[in-house]
């Protein structure tokens, strides 16, 4: 079976990893006699990432470089790579070597069995703090309960997708992109393999806890109305509780009188209900903000430079 693999590699300040990643990935590709291209998306890096990519692309035409006009974030950078990919199967992979290139033949073997998506599920996560492992574990299980689509647990972006799946993903127009959810939303025949994720080879991840928190909110609001439903249920519960308490006060006043307990209890009630209202407005605001951004219809990304990209490549309208 003859086929071409497209490797999608979003990069942000990855100068310390590029050479080792290139040697490792090409070694795996050549050892298995794969026809391949490596699409590197420079997502507004502030170090020498772009310079090193230019050098690699100059010496190896299989290296395609997409230099975005600024930092758009990993999800958008990955989407840009999917637009440019021309392979029969496409594999997003990070440049930090946490996802070992040696796993790629396992993905390909499953794909050749007839699966459209083969995702890699992590059984072990080296080089990460206990807090990050715990929060990641909780996130996947919470979002699985909140959404109506099957988002695999303990699974990142590292996976293989057929040409048909990527063409379907490229039709999705939304700007708030939670790719793990989109990968599952398109459906098709999916299966998994397991692997142990390595520690980052060099450098520091750009994902701090604040970014991970926002990423979690993005995932939940992109694929679930549960927060809005929770607000409705909470409002209903508070209303019923308040009604019951009102009945209690009426009867207590009729039969025992009411000396007016005073200021503290009144302030507690006001602050409690005010807090509930603000939380509810905040949840509604998250959804309205996403609607507002979608209505602008701005391009998903802008490209400053293309290297080794043939003029006959697939449509890259964004």
């Amino acid at each position: 079976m003859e086929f071409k693999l497209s490797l999608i590699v979003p990069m942000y300040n990855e100068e310390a990893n590029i050479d080792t990643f290139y040697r490792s990935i090409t070694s795996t590709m050549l050892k298995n006699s794969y026809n391949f291209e490596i699409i590197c998306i420079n997502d507004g890096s502030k170090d020498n990432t772009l310079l090193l990519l230019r050098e690699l692309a100059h010496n190896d035409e299989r290296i395609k470089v997409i230099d975005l006009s600024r930092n758009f974030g990993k999800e958008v950078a990955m989407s840009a790579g999917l637009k440019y990919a021309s392979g029969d199967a496409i594999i997003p992979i990070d440049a930090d070597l946490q996802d070992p290139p040696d796993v790629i033949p396992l993905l390909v073997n499953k794909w050749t069995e007839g699966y459209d998506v083969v995702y890699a599920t992590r059984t072990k996560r080296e080089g990460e703090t206990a807090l990050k492992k715990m929060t990641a574990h909780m996130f996947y299980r919470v979002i699985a309960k909140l959404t109506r689509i099957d988002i695999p647990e303990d699974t990142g972006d590292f996976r293989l997708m057929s040409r048909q799946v990527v063409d379907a993903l490229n039709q999705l127009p939304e700007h708030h992109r939670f790719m793990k959810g989109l990968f599952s939303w398109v459906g098709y025949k999916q299966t998994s393999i397991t692997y142990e994720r390595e520690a980052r080879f060099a450098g520091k991840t750009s994902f701090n806890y604040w970014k991970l928190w926002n990423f979690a909110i993005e995932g939940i609001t992109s694929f679930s109305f549960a927060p809005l439903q929770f607000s409705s249920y909470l409002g209903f519960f508070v209303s019923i509780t308040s009604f019951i308490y009102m009945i209690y006060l009426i009867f207590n006043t009729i039969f025992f009188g009411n000396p007016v307990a005073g200021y503290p209890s009144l302030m507690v009630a006001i602050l409690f209900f005010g807090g509930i209202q603000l939380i509810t407005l905040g949840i509604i605001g998250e959804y309205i903000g996403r609607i507002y951004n979608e209505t602008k219809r701005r391009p998903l990304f802008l490209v400053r430079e293309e290297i080794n990209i043939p003029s006959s490549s697939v449509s890259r309208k964004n």
Side-chain angles (χ1 to χ4, degrees):
M1 179 181 178
E2 298 219 355
F3 55 84
K4 179 181 179 181
L5 293 179
S6 292
L7 304 178
I8 307 298
V9 193
M11 293 187 179
Y12 178 71
N13 295 344
E14 295 287 359
E15 64 176 355
N17 293 309
I18 288 177
D19 287 338
T20 304
F21 171 79
Y22 172 73
R23 291 195 300 270
S24 179
I25 202 75
T26 53
S27 174
T28 299
M29 296 293 104
L30 295 175
K31 183 170 61 177
N32 291 275
S33 301
Y34 292 146
N35 178 22
F36 68 97
E37 65 177 0
I38 304 175
I39 303 176
C40 302
I41 305 92
N42 179 45
D43 189 24
S45 297
K46 299 177 181 178
D47 59 3
N48 291 320
T49 295
L50 181 59
L51 178 63
L52 295 175
L53 290 177
R54 282 197 184 111
E55 293 177 359
L56 285 178
H58 178 74
N59 298 316
D60 188 345
E61 291 186 352
R62 296 169 302 192
I63 303 296
K64 322 290 184 183
V65 179
I66 310 300
D67 181 29
L68 301 184
S69 62
R70 64 171 177 84
N71 178 253
F72 286 90
K74 183 182 178 182
E75 306 294 285
V76 172
M78 194 186 313
S79 299
L82 295 177
K83 294 278 187 181
Y84 280 81
S86 61
D88 301 294
I90 294 85
I91 302 175
I93 187 171
D94 292 339
D96 55 17
L97 295 175
Q98 286 188 286
D99 301 322
D102 290 342
V103 176
I104 290 176
L106 302 179
L107 299 174
V108 172
N109 290 339
K110 279 291 184 182
W111 172 58
T112 57
E113 292 176 12
Y115 292 97
D116 295 295
V117 178
V118 186
Y119 52 87
T121 299
R122 301 177 290 244
T123 58
K124 195 174 183 181
R125 300 172 65 128
E126 296 290 348
E128 296 182 354
T129 64
L131 177 60
K132 186 173 181 180
K133 292 178 182 178
M134 181 188 70
T135 52
H137 178 85
M138 292 174 56
F139 167 71
Y140 283 108
R141 282 143 188 85
V142 168
I143 199 169
K145 297 291 185 183
L146 296 180
T147 62
R148 296 181 180 179
I149 61 174
D150 184 18
I151 300 177
E153 297 177 353
D154 304 317
T155 301
D157 300 314
F158 186 37
R159 66 191 66 207
L160 181 148
M161 296 171 286
S162 69
R163 178 79 259 165
Q164 187 179 19
V165 171
V166 171
D167 287 343
L169 286 168
N170 286 337
Q171 296 179 46
L172 304 181
E174 59 255 50
H175 285 61
H176 288 272
R177 303 179 74 82
F178 178 63
M179 296 306 295
K180 297 174 184 64
L182 295 179
F183 291 151
S184 297
W185 183 88
V186 295
Y188 296 94
K189 189 177 181 181
Q190 304 197 12
T191 189
S192 68
I193 63 163
T194 58
Y195 77 109
E196 294 185 2
R197 197 174 200 217
E198 304 290 342
R200 185 179 176 88
F201 177 76
K204 294 183 179 180
T205 178
S206 60
F207 276 89
N208 53 37
Y209 285 108
W210 177 247
K211 287 184 177 180
L212 291 173
W213 168 255
N214 288 327
F215 181 70
I217 293 176
E218 190 74 64
I220 292 172
T221 54
S222 294
F223 287 90
S224 175
F225 297 114
L228 290 174
Q229 294 170 329
F230 172 76
S231 299
S232 299
Y233 298 148
L234 181 61
F236 181 76
F237 172 76
V238 170
S239 297
I240 293 297
T241 304
S242 301
F243 179 77
I244 294 172
Y245 186 59
M246 179 189 70
I247 298 298
Y248 165 77
L249 288 178
I250 291 173
F251 277 91
N252 188 66
T253 301
I254 292 174
F255 293 104
F256 303 103
N258 188 354
V260 183
Y263 181 78
S265 59
L266 178 63
M267 287 303 299
V268 168
I270 292 174
L271 292 174
F272 173 73
F273 291 115
I276 294 295
Q277 290 173 336
L278 289 175
I279 291 172
T280 303
L281 287 174
I283 292 173
I284 295 172
E286 286 288 339
Y287 284 92
I288 293 176
R290 281 155 174 74
I291 295 171
Y292 172 67
N293 282 335
E294 294 294 341
T295 59
K296 293 178 183 178
R297 307 304 300 163
R298 290 175 180 168
L300 188 60
F301 58 88
L302 296 173
V303 176
R304 181 168 55 186
E305 182 182 3
E306 300 175 355
I307 304 175
N308 288 344
I309 302 296
S311 57
S312 60
S313 60
V314 296
S315 173
R316 299 184 295 274
K317 293 180 181 178
N318 51 36

